[in-house]
Amino acid sequence: MDFGTLGFAVLAIVGVPAVTVLYILATEWLVRGLPERRRATIRPWLWLLPAFAFLGVYLIYPMIQTAILSVMDRRSESFVGFDNYLGLFGNDSFWLTIANTAMWLVLFTGIVIVIGLIVAVLTDRVRYETGVKALIFIPMAISFVAAGVIWGFMYEFDPDIGTLNAGLATVGAEPQSWLTEWPRNTVMLIIVGIWMWVGFAMVILSAGLKGISTELLEAARIDGATELQVFFRIILPLLAPTIAVVGTTIVITALKTFDIVFVMTSGNFDTEVIASLFYRARFINGDVGSASAVAVILLLAIIPVMLINIRRFQQQEAMR
Amino acid sequence: MATVTFDHIYKRYGQDVIAVNDLNLEVKDGEFLVLVGPSGCGKTTALRCVAGLEDISDGRLLIGDRVVNNVAPKDRDIAMVFQSYALYPHMTVYDNLAFGLKLRKMNKAEIDKRVKDGAGILGLEKFLDRKPKALSGGQRQRVALGRAIVREPSVFLMDEPLSNLDAKLRVQTRAEIARLHQRLGTTTIYVTHDQVEAMTMGDRICVMKDGLLQQVGSPQELYDHPVNIFVAGFIGSPSMNFATTKSEGKDLIFGGAKLELTGAQARAAESRPDGAQVLIGFRPEHIEIANGQDGSAVRFPAKVDVVEYLGNEELIHAQAEGNEVVALLPSDRKVGVGDNVDLAVPMEKLHIFDPESEKTLVG
């Protein structure tokens, strides 16, 4: 590391807090000139200004720019209207991408929540709870790329390498090509995602579960509920807000899926999802217009989920 | 309606902890029995054994004439009121009351009738559409009671249902539960650590300590004839005074004073060898200022430390032969701090205990 890099690092570490403090002092100096009443109304806006500025530069502006690029041609030189969108909609492989993403949305989200819930409820009743939970949570700490590589070995065709085919071989079955046949390959990729994310769902749901008092469950048992009725009529409704949090987080993750697909199949064999389609359009085909159109579609798909999440968050705040 | 019988019930946790130790008790049909004792005495555990929320380690538990050791809580025909109320937060008051009935597949009209009746008894009609969150502590407590009564079970179990209420509401609800019991006549087991609740509500009281049953009896039996030092000190407020004396024939030597005993008390003293230590106990409200009492009372001198004025009564803290003595006297006695007074305790109000076995010597 030469002096330039070091100097820059020091500047970043010292400079950022210094600028923050200077900004606060500067705003205080500014509002001091104002009458008392105006001060209270203006100060919060001044403090929010930097955040808004960063959001504007790094979020709002690129969003608008992407929308604009999506109605330009592949080199962003001339306006082409909705041609990029129409081009996508007219292409069968785009609809396959949508179908795959839908599979991710439904299977990945659904199974992660169901398994997460089952594990959370079961571990809640055993003595070695922490150990089991740690074990299930570990995949969360592995990078998607590493997980892709690991599961690549699991799905390997050669029974001497691939765990799944080795298993098939022991019962005398023919080895299978797990990652080339649609829709099986997408399901196989989703399994990798599930393996990684069940830990997350379990931890959050388990925390929610701990928040339900045992007296409540005992009251239900005395009232005449079987264990299944206790689960479906008491635990599940009380856990609904937590399930919604986990659900929206995982839906967004499903929509953004890229790494697993990219590492394991590169979107070949009909495993393309929206994010990998974007990557292919932008960096392999060099078609900025189409890529931007895909990005806009992804954005539009995520917005409703975000809105639900924000509304729910506000409701929860209102309840306090 | 049913009896509840504890037949040599044990509840152990692991090897060392015995929460309930050989409990034998029969709760009569329609009786209001209070389990009382300090925290950790096993009273709540005993109640949870009846509810089926704890496994019984040993012994037989009967509801009516059915052994229920291995019967699930839902099949025991009991209802329980929890300390935290344990209302279902996602259900309205109506649904909270109806939940147990719905699970029992009762028809809608019958459910509606029972819920409305229960709500009527407890004054909850106005709140049926509300969620528990929108209720006050006292209202939640009534919903918890309502959930138990609409089930019309054969036994009510109540685990310190009043401990989360403020003092005024507690007194009101105490009376309400007593009225409810008179009206429904359902066998009730009520757990509390508060001896005032126990005394005011119980048909009979069962005092427990360290998992062991100490004494069962009516409130008056426990007050008048405690079988041991623990029950004597636990029942009654302010609690009983204790002092160590030495036996001498049929009398007791209390510091410089000689307590001349008669009747059962004299026989108790005589049962001990001369010079043996004997513990005497007497309640603050039974102490009087000596005023020419004859042989029907024992007398000893005391010096007043502190006078706490309570309105119509005064709480006198005094030193008597090296012991702290508390006396509850009418406030017109005009006793002042530093006064030397002669205190008297009526003979039949004097309790005598063996300091080793801690048991009463007045049979």
Side-chain angles (χ1 to χ4, degrees):
Chain A
M1 191 161 43
D2 60 35
F3 181 74
T5 322
L6 188 69
F8 188 77
V10 170
L11 192 70
I13 292 167
V14 179
V16 172
V19 169
T20 311
V21 171
L22 275 180
Y23 180 80
I24 292 170
L25 291 177
T27 53
E28 279 307 298
W29 178 76
L30 255 175
V31 294
R32 207 183 313 156
L34 297 168
E36 187 74 40
R37 186 175 290 207
R38 296 279 305 278
R39 249 185 254 176
T41 43
I42 287 183
R43 186 182 285 120
W45 290 106
L46 283 174
W47 285 359
L48 282 174
L49 194 65
F52 279 139
F54 281 115
L55 276 179
V57 172
Y58 291 109
L59 210 68
I60 310 290
Y61 167 71
M63 232 159 77
I64 294 165
Q65 188 61 29
T66 306
I68 293 170
L69 288 177
S70 74
V71 290
M72 309 284 276
D73 70 359
R74 57 182 297 132
R75 291 176 197 286
S76 313
E77 281 162 350
S78 54
F79 179 73
V80 295
F82 288 104
D83 279 4
N84 289 322
Y85 292 94
L86 295 175
L88 285 173
F89 296 156
N91 190 339
D92 282 347
S93 72
F94 173 75
W95 292 109
L96 187 73
T97 304
I98 295 293
N100 284 337
T101 302
M103 277 170 77
W104 272 92
L105 270 179
V106 175
L107 291 179
F108 178 61
T109 311
I111 296 174
V112 164
I113 289 176
V114 169
I115 297 182
L117 196 55
I118 291 172
V119 175
V121 170
L122 291 183
T123 52
D124 203 40
R125 298 172 180 219
V126 294
R127 225 170 339 129
Y128 36 90
E129 181 184 352
T130 12
V132 176
K133 278 162 109 180
L135 214 59
I136 293 171
F137 192 73
I138 284 173
M140 193 75 202
I142 297 173
S143 85
F144 280 101
V145 177
V149 172
I150 294 168
W151 281 84
F153 286 124
M154 302 272 284
Y155 293 153
E156 185 68 42
F157 183 79
D158 182 350
D160 289 337
I161 301 172
T163 314
L164 255 59
N165 281 335
L168 286 182
T170 55
V171 296
E174 285 297 304
Q176 300 285 314
S177 173
W178 298 105
L179 294 176
T180 55
E181 310 292 325
W182 190 87
R184 185 169 71 192
N185 48 9
T186 291
V187 172
M188 288 297 154
L189 296 182
I190 290 173
I191 288 173
V192 180
I194 292 169
W195 177 74
M196 296 191 69
W197 277 83
V198 158
F200 167 80
M202 172 204 69
V203 166
I204 309 278
L205 292 171
S206 171
L209 210 56
K210 301 258 183 267
I212 301 175
S213 96
T214 42
E215 282 201 346
L216 213 53
L217 309 184
E218 290 173 350
R221 280 177 201 131
I222 289 178
D223 257 354
T226 61
E227 285 307 302
L228 274 183
Q229 283 168 328
V230 170
F231 180 78
F232 283 106
R233 304 187 67 159
I234 308 292
I235 295 178
L236 212 52
L238 291 178
L239 219 49
T242 318
I243 293 175
V245 169
V246 174
T248 44
T249 311
I250 293 179
V251 161
I252 291 170
T253 310
L255 285 171
K256 296 195 300 188
T257 306
F258 172 75
D259 331 44
I260 294 174
V261 175
F262 186 76
V263 172
M264 297 188 72
T265 63
S266 308
N268 293 319
F269 314 114
D270 299 335
T271 55
E272 202 86 275
V273 289
I274 290 186
S276 65
L277 178 67
F278 168 80
Y279 181 86
R280 184 186 296 273
R282 176 66 187 81
F283 295 106
I284 295 175
N285 300 342
D287 184 345
V288 177
S290 289
S292 300
V294 174
V296 170
I297 291 169
L298 180 57
L299 177 71
L300 292 178
I302 289 181
I303 282 175
V305 186
M306 290 303 297
L307 282 180
I308 292 169
N309 222 1
I310 290 169
R311 168 127 14 120
R312 235 193 39 70
F313 183 71
Q314 281 170 338
Q315 279 170 351
Q316 224 168 30
E317 287 293 296
M319 260 156 54
R320 281 180 194 168
Chain B
M1 299 299 126
T3 58
V4 176
T5 312
F6 297 80
D7 181 14
H8 296 282
I9 294 286
Y10 286 86
K11 174 66 192 177
R12 299 185 194 89
Y13 294 102
Q15 290 292 311
D16 316 320
V17 184
I18 304 182
V20 178
N21 194 346
D22 195 18
L23 180 60
N24 286 295
L25 180 64
E26 185 174 343
V27 187
K28 299 185 189 105
D29 187 16
E31 185 177 35
F32 196 111
L33 181 105
V34 179
L35 286 177
V36 69
S39 54
C41 74
K43 56 192 191 296
T44 295
T45 309
L47 188 78
R48 290 171 59 86
C49 286
V50 181
L53 298 172
E54 300 284 348
D55 291 331
I56 293 163
S57 308
D58 216 338
R60 291 189 318 155
L61 181 79
L62 292 91
I63 296 178
D65 42 23
R66 182 167 68 130
V67 178
V68 294
N69 286 39
N70 296 316
V71 176
K74 68 187 177 73
D75 301 321
R76 292 190 181 195
D77 197 17
I78 47 161
M80 183 155 169
V81 178
F82 289 86
Q83 184 173 6
S84 68
Y85 315 145
L87 302 180
Y88 311 123
H90 57 301
M91 296 183 196
T92 60
V93 170
Y94 185 98
D95 289 332
N96 263 285
L97 297 183
F99 185 67
L101 306 177
K102 282 182 188 161
L103 290 175
R104 284 182 164 70
K105 306 254 186 320
M106 193 176 279
N107 75 56
K108 273 221 168 88
E110 174 69 12
I111 292 178
D112 195 60
K113 184 180 170 299
R114 285 221 203 163
V115 169
K116 296 268 164 66
D117 286 354
I121 292 172
L122 294 163
L124 289 168
E125 299 101 324
K126 279 183 292 181
F127 310 115
L128 284 174
D129 295 332
R130 293 212 199 154
K131 296 253 176 87
K133 194 173 289 180
L135 299 176
S136 71
Q139 290 160 351
R140 286 180 204 181
Q141 212 281 339
R142 291 214 294 278
V143 177
L145 280 176
R147 192 169 62 182
I149 66 173
V150 296
R151 291 256 317 278
E152 298 178 7
S154 50
V155 182
F156 282 136
L157 307 175
M158 303 194 185
D159 185 9
E160 310 220 11
L162 305 185
S163 58
N164 287 348
L165 300 178
D166 64 50
K168 190 177 166 203
L169 210 50
R170 195 176 307 171
V171 174
Q172 276 175 16
T173 315
R174 205 163 74 193
E176 205 166 328
I177 292 178
R179 262 198 299 278
L180 207 58
H181 179 252
Q182 281 164 17
R183 177 169 176 168
L184 303 172
T186 308
T187 312
T188 305
I189 305 179
Y190 184 105
V191 162
T192 180
H193 62 270
D194 180 354
Q195 60 94 19
V196 178
E197 264 173 41
M199 294 293 277
T200 51
M201 300 175 82
D203 291 329
R204 278 195 307 159
I205 299 173
C206 165
V207 182
M208 290 182 74
K209 182 196 169 203
D210 300 335
L212 286 164
L213 185 151
Q214 304 291 311
Q215 186 173 6
V216 192
S218 70
Q220 195 176 356
E221 272 171 57
L222 265 59
Y223 181 79
D224 289 342
H225 305 292
V227 295
N228 61 28
I229 296 173
F230 177 77
V231 175
F234 192 80
I235 299 292
S237 171
S239 56
M240 187 183 276
N241 295 298
F242 293 104
T244 306
T245 61
K246 281 200 170 66
S247 106
E248 188 185 276
K250 66 170 194 53
D251 297 329
L252 295 174
I253 304 301
F254 179 30
K258 182 175 195 179
L259 310 180
E260 292 176 5
L261 306 183
T262 57
Q265 278 71 10
R267 285 194 293 279
E270 270 182 319
S271 73
R272 305 291 293 164
D274 277 2
Q277 288 205 334
V278 171
L279 201 70
I280 56 169
F282 43 95
R283 297 191 184 279
E285 56 271 34
H286 294 150
I287 297 177
E288 296 162 17
I289 301 281
N291 184 16
Q293 276 95 349
D294 49 17
S296 68
V298 294
R299 308 166 58 143
F300 51 87
K303 186 169 196 243
V304 178
D305 278 340
V306 176
V307 177
E308 292 175 332
Y309 180 71
L310 303 173
N312 62 335
E313 288 170 324
E314 285 175 343
L315 214 48
I316 312 288
H317 297 257
Q319 294 296 324
E321 311 293 346
N323 292 279
E324 158 107 15
V325 168
V326 176
L328 193 64
L329 296 172
S331 47
D332 56 11
R333 285 289 176 272
K334 303 269 182 286
V335 180
V337 174
D339 290 358
N340 286 304
V341 289
D342 263 355
L343 299 179
V345 178
M347 189 61 63
E348 73 276 12
K349 304 293 186 192
L350 186 72
H351 300 272
I352 300 178
F353 301 99
D354 176 350
E356 275 147 38
S357 70
E358 303 198 342
K359 292 200 172 111
T360 184
L361 292 169
V362 185

